[in-house]
Amino acid sequence: NQNEKIGDALFDAQVYYYNNFFWWGIISQHNIFCLNLYGEPSLARGGYAVPVISDHDYEWLDSGGNGYADPGDTISLTIALTNSGINAASVTLNVLSDDPYITMLDSNFDYGSIMNGEIKDNASDPISFYIADTAPCHNCTLHLNITADGLNFYDNIAILIGTPPVLIVDDDGDAEYETYFVESLNRLNVSYHLLDSDALVSDSSTHCYDALIWLTGDNPSPIDSTRMIVLSGYLNNGGKLLITGQDVEGCQDAGFFNNYLHASVIDSSAYRMRVDGVDGDPISNGLTYLIIGSPGANNQDSPTIISPLAGADSIFSYRLGGCCGVRYENSFKTVYLSYGFEAIAAPSLADTVMKRILEWFNIATEIEEITTWHDQHKTSLSLRVSPNPFRDKVNIDFAAEYDTEDVALRIYDATGRMVKEFNHVTETTLLWNGTDNLDRKLPNGIYFLKLQAGDYSASKKLLLIR
């Protein structure tokens, strides 16, 4: 009967779009229901009954011409939109930013029609904005408001402004091990630039970074003479270097090894897969992990045994014997891991290694991740939020292994007053809509999220911008 048809249409609209349509909750739900209720209900089973516009890709050019969004630059942004629904006769884009260091110069574009499966961009008239000279290093969020035949879609683009503390140098040949480093820094909320080693032509391009992370993966012949000049020049200028890979010694330069990495090679083809830290060391104390298996890169077939030279410290060793990590500090700082960091099998342990190295380099990590190991006990907490800054809602994700049955999440304002509390948390993903315990909207400002599990805690700073 008619009621069954209406009920069927509503059910299909809700179930289909909720499970398969990532814009659910962002596009107007009223329009979705109306189109499926008063249109043809079967459309909900066979495909989208409306245009579905999304950000397909984007690229930008900086007025400074160095490929980075620096203070004082004007950025030209080309955004490609795609339509995975029915044909759209009229699509427009408006780009907004709440960032106080951003001035939008040209924020609108009319794409005209976008047919099903078509991709269109605004290359003929890019979106543009100016970055203030006083802008600090931070992630700028641009809000995309897309209108297609009366339907509204929303998306965000994040662009890193300024010079971050870390430069990742990819020297792994044609492999893609840099993803393991990028993901770890993302989880630690540490900003970075990523550059292929082929693009480094002089050490002067590295001096603006607090630390270099140089990865060689399983490249058998990394760090040629040009790269050694870049590295030695950076370190001579007081730099901080994490270099890691099973074949770093493939550079075949004993002088570089002795004078900068402060290590010598004992065995370049050891097959040892468990790594232990050194008691009392600021980086490796209490750590033990495998460098074989997933979700690590599982790429170690000849990790190297090394030995520290005078003035350097051994910070990691293989369970079966032999040093595999050296730390040196004088006019510069180096950490040399003679295996690939990307091979650490457990991401939480990889993050702890990265966090401790960065902190030894005096680079702060926003996420407080406390991890301790005992013979028969392990406690680990990690906490992530996105987006941050946020306008209407923020996703809170955490992981915990703990000896307490109770986990609590509390949110405090800048004065230290608790404004929101989540008790007896059983899910590892929560959504906060910027309200207090009485469901009242809180004002713009800085808030602090604290995760508590027994005697262990982790915290995160949040920025609410309505």
Side-chain angles (χ1 to χ4, degrees):
N1 59 39
Q2 191 67 23
N3 287 338
E4 290 176 341
K5 291 180 180 179
I6 293 174
D8 187 54
L10 287 171
F11 178 84
D12 283 333
Q14 181 179 3
V15 173
Y16 181 82
Y17 284 103
Y18 183 82
N19 290 329
N20 300 282
F21 185 25
F22 67 94
W23 288 108
W24 179 260
I26 300 176
I27 190 174
S28 169
Q29 298 179 25
H30 173 75
N31 290 336
I32 291 289
F33 278 105
C34 287
L35 283 165
N36 283 284
L37 176 59
Y38 299 112
E40 173 54 52
S42 63
L43 288 175
R45 297 185 180 88
Y48 301 131
V50 294
V52 180
I53 310 298
S54 60
D55 166 24
H56 173 73
D57 197 6
Y58 67 91
E59 60 182 22
W60 52 267
L61 297 174
D62 61 296
S63 59
N66 64 356
Y68 299 125
D70 294 319
D73 277 350
T74 295
I75 304 298
S76 298
L77 178 64
T78 299
I79 302 173
L81 301 181
T82 185
N83 183 1
S84 54
I86 66 173
N87 295 343
S90 176
V91 178
T92 59
L93 170 68
N94 179 238
V95 180
L96 304 172
S97 178
D98 300 319
D99 194 308
Y101 299 100
I102 298 300
T103 301
M104 300 302 303
L105 303 177
D106 188 353
S107 59
N108 299 285
F109 187 76
D110 187 345
Y111 288 78
S113 62
I114 301 182
M115 302 296 103
N116 171 255
E118 185 180 10
I119 298 172
K120 268 191 177 182
D121 64 39
N122 64 321
S124 62
D125 184 18
I127 301 296
S128 61
F129 60 91
Y130 173 74
I131 306 171
D133 292 336
T134 56
C137 178
H138 69 290
N139 277 307
C140 162
T141 300
L142 301 177
H143 307 291
L144 310 187
N145 295 342
I146 305 165
T147 301
D149 295 350
L151 297 175
N152 296 317
F153 302 83
Y154 305 96
D155 202 355
N156 293 323
I157 289 176
I159 295 178
L160 179 63
I161 304 297
T163 302
V166 175
L167 173 65
I168 303 173
V169 180
D170 178 8
D171 195 13
D172 63 5
D174 295 328
E176 296 183 353
Y177 299 126
E178 65 274 10
T179 57
Y180 292 89
F181 297 79
V182 165
E183 290 170 359
S184 182
L185 292 183
N186 284 341
R187 289 190 293 265
L188 293 172
N189 276 350
V190 174
S191 300
Y192 57 86
H193 282 155
L194 173 64
L195 194 65
D196 192 275
S197 62
D198 291 336
L200 284 175
V201 294
S202 71
D203 62 279
S204 61
S205 61
T206 64
H207 290 174
C208 59
Y209 297 97
D210 294 337
L212 299 189
I213 297 176
W214 196 291
L215 65 111
T216 67
D218 45 25
N219 181 359
S221 302
I223 319 177
D224 61 14
S225 58
T226 300
R227 293 167 173 81
M228 265 185 277
I229 292 173
V230 171
L231 275 173
S232 58
Y234 172 75
L235 292 174
N236 288 339
N237 198 51
K240 301 162 187 173
L241 170 69
L242 163 62
I243 187 166
T244 172
Q246 65 176 0
D247 293 311
V248 171
E249 74 279 1
C251 69
Q252 300 295 324
D253 189 306
F256 178 77
F257 247 72
N258 295 340
N259 298 327
Y260 292 99
L261 302 187
H262 287 268
S264 61
V265 177
I266 304 300
D267 184 351
S268 62
S269 298
Y271 187 79
R272 303 184 181 185
M273 296 298 157
R274 180 174 287 278
V275 174
D276 295 322
V278 173
D279 289 344
D281 184 80
I283 293 174
S284 66
N285 179 55
L287 289 172
T288 181
Y289 49 80
L290 294 173
I291 53 172
I292 187 173
S294 297
N298 199 29
N299 64 334
Q300 303 298 287
D301 52 26
S302 59
T304 301
I305 297 176
I306 56 177
S307 178
L309 298 182
D313 295 307
S314 174
I315 61 172
F316 285 108
S317 63
Y318 298 114
R319 177 67 59 88
L320 295 178
C323 171
C324 57
V326 167
R327 172 173 60 84
Y328 175 79
E329 178 180 10
N330 199 322
S331 59
F332 56 82
K333 286 185 174 184
T334 57
V335 173
Y336 168 32
L337 305 181
S338 59
Y339 55 89
F341 169 89
E342 71 276 1
I344 299 176
S348 61
L349 297 180
D351 290 348
T352 299
V353 173
M354 182 64 73
K355 173 184 172 63
R356 291 184 180 182
I357 292 173
L358 292 177
E359 291 180 346
W360 189 65
F361 287 162
N362 298 317
I363 296 175
T365 57
E366 279 192 33
I367 296 178
E368 180 185 356
E369 183 173 350
I370 303 173
T371 311
T372 60
W373 285 261
H374 306 282
D375 291 341
Q376 296 180 348
H377 168 77
K378 180 173 71 173
T379 299
S380 174
L381 297 180
S382 64
L383 182 61
R384 289 181 292 168
V385 296
S386 65
N388 191 20
F390 72 100
R391 289 192 295 175
D392 300 315
K393 56 187 177 181
V394 60
N395 292 303
I396 302 169
D397 298 292
F398 70 91
E401 299 177 23
Y402 47 88
D403 287 343
T404 178
E405 296 180 355
D406 195 21
V407 175
L409 280 162
R410 298 181 179 91
I411 297 172
Y412 301 83
D413 64 16
T415 68
R417 180 175 60 94
M418 186 180 70
V419 294
K420 184 71 174 181
E421 184 174 23
F422 302 89
N423 283 319
H424 308 293
V425 177
T426 58
E427 302 293 332
T428 58
T429 299
L430 295 173
L431 185 69
W432 182 46
N433 61 1
T435 61
D436 63 12
N437 284 324
L438 299 177
D439 291 327
R440 297 174 299 193
K441 284 189 176 182
L442 292 169
N444 293 351
I446 296 174
Y447 295 88
F448 296 91
L449 171 66
K450 185 174 182 180
L451 169 66
Q452 187 80 36
D455 295 330
Y456 299 88
S457 65
S459 60
K460 183 72 177 71
K461 182 171 69 175
L462 303 171
L463 180 57
L464 172 59
I465 303 175
R466 294 195 186 277

